[in-house]
Amino acid sequence: MISVKKAQLIISKNIRLLGVESVLFNNTRNRVLAQDIIASIPMPQFDNSAMDGFAVRAADTEGANQSSPKTLIMAGVSSAGASSNITLQPGECAQCMTGGKIPKGADSIVIVENSSGFLDSKRIEIFKEAKIGEHIRKQGEEVQKGDVVISKGTCITSSEIGILATFGCEKVSVMIKPKVAIFTTGNELIEPGNKIRLGQIYNSNFYMFLDLVEQSGAEIVMSEVIKDDKGSLEKSFYKALQICDIIISSGGVSMGRFDYVREVYNELGVQEHFWKIAQKPGKPLFFGTRGSSLIFGLPGNPVSSFICYMKYIDPVIQNSQNKKRNSEEHQGILTKDFPVDSKKHRYLFGKSWIDSHGKLLCTPTSKMGSHMLTASLRSNCILESPPGKHELKAGDKITINLLNWRNFK
Ligand code: AMP
Ligand code: MG
């Protein structure tokens, strides 16, 4: 049995970057950018109107108001998408729609509401004095051509996808996602939608892993539910070892008579780095490698599986793409006692929040069993304490791992 620190160190030594690939910009959600995105055009690309109205020379509208409008001569129309080459002479104006190019000679936009309107008339009345620059979006005011708009290493969200489109980037270079296999094992497992018989258990880990792996940002290339049967395990694990960077299995890895997972991994040539960590829950965690594949055999209890995934696998998936994890550790203050173990690292789901004085507080769940997945329901973090002699008391400090997709609340 090894310590949590040692286990983390061993795993981290086996993480490697998988290289980069070129991907269509709108397929890059949750991917890590492997290049800077440089503005190929200024934004806005040209001086254009922010409103529907009339492009004018501000000086021509001096003193204009409702009772004594200024009359200007219509010189043309500039609309979004239609390139116009109008030049305004003194005393002239041009209809100019939102996004339309500002005619040469114009220095302001009078909104249509302050004019006699978009009529076909040659003579337009302006009811309000224009200010120079009003309602004009200047070329390059947002981004200059050549600026770095998104930096290498950024994890792509909706905003970045929008910006990639804004600058016309079709393909972008991103870090390659690890290919993952997910296996849940157990004769007792049945799938949601079936009637449960005594002794059976609904397969929760499988669906939890599918979602967790998706959130971490890996590609699931294989996912199966396997019986506690050596032949079946061998067949599936063998195939996964050919095509996957990471293999995740749950169940069948502890001391039970039908726990074949470790044995099968060993028989398939997986080099075992450890089996059993001094932690609760999740003691019988198996970690091995074969070639460049990383193999994790997680214990089947759902809380153990969830916590082992977050503590040992999520960092691998994120680090293998140089992703900045937002689930780093924080130090918070307990509002309830936390059960420290003399030999084992303890993990419990918990709630954490920032109080009105800015203090980070937390409380562990009262559901302690590794089979009690409902403990995760109203939790936003995993609390952890290394082995120690004394229980942590309310008011003591503790380490908080905020779950990736949650906030302090
Ligand atoms: P094992 O690690 O195979 O000994 O399983 C430990 C406990 O976790 C048993 O009570 C199993 O029924 C339960 N378990 C194993 N796999 C799953 C799963 N995929 N979903 C829900 N519970 C599971
Ligand atoms: Mg089992």
Side-chain angles (χ1 to χ4, degrees):
M1 193 146 71
I2 64 167
S3 70
V4 163
K5 268 216 159 63
K6 188 88 194 287
Q8 283 168 330
L9 191 69
I10 293 172
I11 294 171
S12 68
K13 281 190 175 154
N14 283 283
I15 300 175
R16 59 186 189 98
L17 295 174
L18 302 167
V20 303
E21 64 179 339
S22 179
V23 171
L24 202 63
F25 78 97
N26 56 344
N27 288 338
T28 55
R29 183 173 183 272
N30 207 10
R31 304 291 297 264
V32 178
L33 205 53
Q35 63 168 109
D36 284 335
I37 298 297
I38 311 282
S40 53
I41 44 173
M43 197 55 60
Q45 199 195 350
F46 51 88
D47 290 1
N48 69 79
S49 178
M51 302 291 278
D52 294 321
F54 284 91
V56 298
R57 294 166 170 264
D60 290 345
T61 67
E62 213 179 301
N65 60 39
Q66 208 67 37
S67 51
S68 62
K70 293 280 168 186
T71 302
L72 300 176
I73 303 300
M74 245 288 282
V77 180
S78 172
S79 60
S83 71
S84 72
N85 278 316
I86 306 164
T87 302
L88 286 195
Q89 303 301 332
E92 287 183 342
C93 65
Q95 292 183 10
C96 197
M97 309 306 145
T98 305
K101 193 172 155 199
I102 303 293
K104 280 199 202 79
D107 56 15
S108 182
I109 295 287
V110 173
I111 61 173
V112 65
E113 292 87 334
N114 291 328
S115 73
S116 50
F118 290 142
L119 308 168
D120 281 335
S121 155
K122 226 19 201 154
R123 297 167 70 80
I124 305 297
E125 294 193 323
I126 302 293
F127 298 117
K128 199 172 173 210
E129 199 173 282
K131 288 196 201 75
I132 289 180
E134 204 171 14
H135 306 308
I136 293 181
R137 304 161 171 166
K138 297 297 283 180
Q139 180 191 60
E141 69 176 10
E142 183 187 358
V143 176
Q144 299 277 326
K145 181 176 173 177
D147 281 358
V148 175
V149 269
I150 315 174
S151 322
K152 182 175 166 173
T154 304
C155 185
I156 294 176
T157 67
S158 320
S159 307
E160 283 76 21
I161 291 177
I163 293 302
L164 291 171
T166 299
F167 289 92
C169 303
E170 190 193 15
K171 288 204 150 185
V172 288
S173 179
V174 292
M175 302 300 291
I176 292 177
K177 300 198 269 190
K179 292 187 172 59
V180 173
I182 296 170
F183 299 116
T184 49
T185 72
N187 291 341
E188 73 280 28
L189 302 180
I190 62 157
E191 297 306 300
N194 294 300
K195 200 163 161 30
I196 197 160
R197 289 200 315 268
L198 206 65
Q200 290 185 316
I201 190 159
Y202 282 120
N203 183 4
S204 56
N205 292 353
F206 188 74
Y207 302 95
M208 202 167 74
F209 284 144
L210 288 178
D211 196 62
L212 285 169
V213 170
E214 189 71 34
Q215 305 245 23
S216 302
E219 184 184 352
I220 300 163
V221 292
M222 226 182 136
S223 56
E224 289 175 10
V225 185
I226 317 175
K227 295 274 182 229
D228 293 316
D229 166 69
K230 270 189 82 172
S232 313
L233 291 166
E234 230 169 75
K235 223 169 114 195
S236 298
F237 291 176
Y238 175 81
K239 186 170 169 214
L241 282 165
Q242 315 307 310
I243 58 171
C244 295
D245 303 302
I246 299 172
I247 296 173
I248 305 168
S249 66
S250 88
V253 77
S254 113
M255 300 299 288
R257 193 168 151 199
F258 309 104
D259 288 348
Y260 301 123
V261 166
R262 179 178 176 229
E263 202 179 318
V264 171
Y265 282 142
N266 282 322
E267 284 173 13
L268 289 172
V270 172
Q271 184 198 344
E272 180 174 307
H273 292 280
F274 60 79
W275 173 56
K276 290 188 178 173
I277 305 180
Q279 64 181 14
K280 189 176 173 181
K283 183 173 92 170
L285 172 62
F286 173 98
F287 174 65
T289 52
R290 202 188 78 160
S292 58
S293 306
L294 274 53
I295 297 101
F296 295 89
L298 273 47
N301 273 308
V303 173
S304 316
S305 261
F306 197 136
I307 290 178
C308 285
Y309 178 90
M310 288 313 299
K311 287 303 296 181
Y312 300 101
I313 304 178
D314 179 69
V316 173
I317 296 178
Q318 309 242 20
N319 292 337
S320 68
Q321 299 170 76
N322 268 344
K323 234 183 209 181
K324 291 173 205 80
R325 288 186 88 207
N326 62 354
S327 63
E328 324 116 19
E329 297 174 0
H330 303 264
Q331 294 299 309
I333 295 165
L334 283 164
T335 58
K336 247 173 64 178
D337 297 356
F338 185 95
V340 174
D341 188 280
S342 64
K343 296 202 174 65
K344 290 182 194 154
H345 204 96
R346 278 303 307 257
Y347 295 110
L348 281 176
F349 278 111
K351 249 189 249 180
S352 54
W353 68 96
I354 295 167
D355 75 359
S356 54
H357 307 290
K359 257 199 219 157
L360 180 55
L361 303 177
C362 60
T363 186
T365 175
S366 52
K367 294 182 178 179
M368 308 255 175
S370 59
H371 55 299
M372 298 179 177
L373 190 58
T374 52
S376 69
L377 276 184
R378 277 167 293 281
S379 298
N380 61 355
C381 62
I382 296 167
L383 302 177
E384 65 173 280
S385 159
K389 288 200 176 60
H390 309 287
E391 194 167 76
L392 289 174
K393 297 281 178 203
D396 287 346
K397 272 196 170 165
I398 192 163
T399 300
I400 300 173
N401 303 267
L402 188 65
L403 294 172
N404 278 351
W405 53 93
R406 301 274 166 87
N407 291 315
F408 291 121
K409 62 171 190 303

